[in-house]
Amino acid sequence: MTNPFPFSSNAVLTASQLNEIGSFDTWTPTFTGLTAQPTIGLAAYTEVNDLVYYMMYVEIDSGDLPFTGSLTCTAPVPTSGAMTYMPQGQAWLRPSGGTIFHGTQITTGNSIYFYGLSESGTYSTVSNVNATVPATWTTDGDFWAMGWYRSA
């Protein structure tokens, strides 16, 4: 998708320009932290001015395991660095095809980092998604994620 923005203040937009606002395009994120690239069921994004919204569905199977570190992937368009390390998304993590865990993401550099939330103490804590966070990942794991950030 070619970003139809920026438009200047008080500009008269054509119907074609209005229809492009919020159109989604696909991208192929490159993952780190896994033995191989996982199956991407969906990876789509839209960009309006310098705001990027993305969503993805990813399946983790036996060829992707074991984890080799923390789970990250490339962002669909370069990030600005503004708001680095701020939680900028939500995730639905299902490491073994059963229990669903809540997660979040941050962007830094041109990467999206995935975190699992723990509710076991008085306060919520976060840890990088890896082989055992939020639980041990098996060959039928998957996750949904959506988030937003400012583009460069």
Side-chain angles (χ1 to χ4, degrees):
M1 168 183 89
T2 302
N3 185 2
F5 290 93
F7 296 120
S8 59
S9 180
N10 298 320
V12 176
L13 304 180
T14 67
S16 176
Q17 290 170 317
L18 289 170
N19 288 336
E20 279 295 309
I21 297 172
S23 295
F24 279 88
D25 200 1
T26 59
W27 100 99
T28 303
T30 301
F31 282 83
T32 60
L34 295 169
T35 301
Q37 292 302 298
T39 301
I40 310 297
L42 168 74
Y45 73 98
T46 189
E47 185 175 7
V48 178
N49 278 348
D50 59 356
L51 177 66
V52 177
Y53 172 82
Y54 64 89
M55 58 186 165
M56 68 178 75
Y57 172 69
V58 178
E59 298 174 0
I60 307 291
D61 62 33
S62 61
D64 309 325
L65 299 172
F67 272 77
T68 58
S70 298
L71 186 64
T72 69
C73 75
T74 53
V77 297
T79 67
S80 72
M83 303 290 289
T84 296
Y85 298 115
M86 292 296 297
Q88 296 168 329
Q90 299 296 313
W92 174 98
L93 308 165
R94 190 169 59 174
S96 62
T99 303
I100 297 170
F101 296 88
H102 184 226
T104 189
Q105 298 95 240
I106 64 163
T107 57
T108 185
N110 289 326
S111 295
I112 300 168
Y113 289 75
F114 299 88
Y115 289 85
L117 277 71
S118 171
E119 304 294 335
S120 61
T122 304
Y123 302 98
S124 297
T125 59
V126 296
S127 297
N128 293 83
V129 170
N130 60 46
T132 59
V133 173
T136 300
W137 288 80
T138 64
T139 59
D140 59 348
D142 58 354
F143 68 91
W144 282 95
M146 54 72 70
W148 56 93
Y149 62 91
R150 186 175 177 183
S151 63

